[in-house]
Amino acid sequence: QVQLQQWGAGLLKPSETLSLTCAVYGGSFSGYYWSWIRQPPGKGLEWIGEINHSGSTNYNPSLKSRVTISVDTSKNQFSLKLNSVTAADTAVYYCASGSVGVITNYYFYYMDVWGRGTTVTVSS
Amino acid sequence: SSELTQDPAVSVALGQTVRITCQGDSLRSYYASWYQQKPGQAPALVIFGKNNRPSGIPDRFSGSSSGNTASLTITGAQAEDEADYYCNSRDTSGNHQVVFGGGTKLTVL
C-alpha cells in the first residue's frame, strides 16, 4: 500500500518561498501523476499542479507564474516550491497520487492516496 | 471548461438516501471521482471510475453519471457520513488542469 509522507516549513513571512517535499513509500513511483493540492482555512480544495516520474509538469494557470514542482526519482520524492508568498497562500497543503486512464471512450482520473497535510501560515 | 459546480450544502435524515451532484463540461468525457473530507482530516477517495469504491468504503456509496452531471448517492446515510464531499476530474479544454468542485457539506439529521 502506497503511503505519502510530506514535510516542510510551516511558518513563512510574506515574499518568502514555500518549500514542501513528499516521499512515496511502498509502491511504484512511475505510472502516476503526483499532485499538490491546497485548502485555505474554511475553503475548498485547490489543485496546484502535478508531475510524473519523467518530470513532465502541469500547473494551475492561476499559480503557474510562482510554482515549481520537481521530482527526485532516486529518492521517490517530489517537491513543491511556491515563491513570493502572501497571506492568501495560507492553507493546508496536501500531496497526492493521481491515476488517469480510459474505459470504453470515457476517461477517468482520481487521487487515491493523500499525504496527511502540512499547515502553512504566511504572516509577518 | 475548467469548472465543476456543486451545491454548497445538502441534508439528509438518518437512514435515508441522499444524492450529491456535480456539474461540468468535463464530465461529458470524464467520470467524476468523489472525496469525503471530515474536519481536520485529508480528503479520502470514495468513488472513482464508472462506479468503483476503494477498499474499505461501504457499499452504501455509489456513483453515476449522465451528460454533464455526476452524482454521488449515499443509500441509508449514517451519522458518520456527515462530511464535506468534493468531486474531481480533469479539464478537457486542452490545458490538462485537474479541477475540483467547490464541495458539498452533508449534514445527517
Side-chain angles (χ1 to χ4, degrees), chain A residues 77-101:
Chain A
Q77 295 176 359
F78 61 107
S79 298
L80 168 69
K81 291 191 186 298
L82 178 67
N83 58 35
S84 304
V85 298
T86 69
D89 296 310
T90 293
V92 178
Y93 286 75
Y94 296 100
C95 58
S97 69
S99 296
V100 64

Side-chain angles (χ1 to χ4, degrees), chain A residues 1 32 37 45 94-100 108-115, chain B residues 31-38 41-58 61-63 72 83-89 99-100:
Chain A
Q1 175 71 6
Y32 297 93
I37 303 100
L45 302 172
Y94 296 100
C95 58
S97 69
S99 296
V100 64
F108 63 84
Y109 174 79
Y110 60 90
M111 301 178 187
D112 59 338
V113 183
W114 293 65
Chain B
Y31 292 115
S33 53
W34 291 92
Y35 305 84
Q36 177 192 69
Q37 187 180 34
K38 296 181 179 181
Q41 296 183 15
L45 180 68
V46 294
I47 290 290
F48 67 99
K50 189 174 184 180
N51 181 18
N52 300 291
R53 288 173 286 105
S55 174
I57 301 301
F61 289 88
S62 63
L72 172 70
D84 294 325
Y85 291 86
Y86 295 91
C87 60
N88 164 238
S89 79
V99 290
F100 285 98

Side-chain angles (χ1 to χ4, degrees), chain A residues 33 37 39 43-47 50 58-61 94 100 103 106-112 114-116, chain B residues 27-31 33 35 37 41-43 45 48-49 65 67 86 88-90 95-98 100-102:
Chain A
Y33 288 85
I37 303 100
Q39 185 171 37
K43 295 189 177 181
L45 302 172
E46 180 181 31
W47 178 73
E50 67 184 1
N58 292 310
Y59 296 127
N60 186 324
Y94 296 100
V100 64
I103 304 172
Y106 225 80
Y107 294 94
F108 63 84
Y109 174 79
Y110 60 90
M111 301 178 187
D112 59 338
W114 293 65
R116 299 183 72 170
Chain B
L27 301 181
R28 297 185 184 278
S29 302
Y30 271 91
Y31 292 115
S33 53
Y35 305 84
Q37 187 180 34
Q41 296 183 15
L45 180 68
F48 67 99
S65 182
Y86 295 91
N88 164 238
S89 79
R90 295 187 76 99
N95 60 16
H96 305 290
Q97 284 187 73
V98 173
F100 285 98

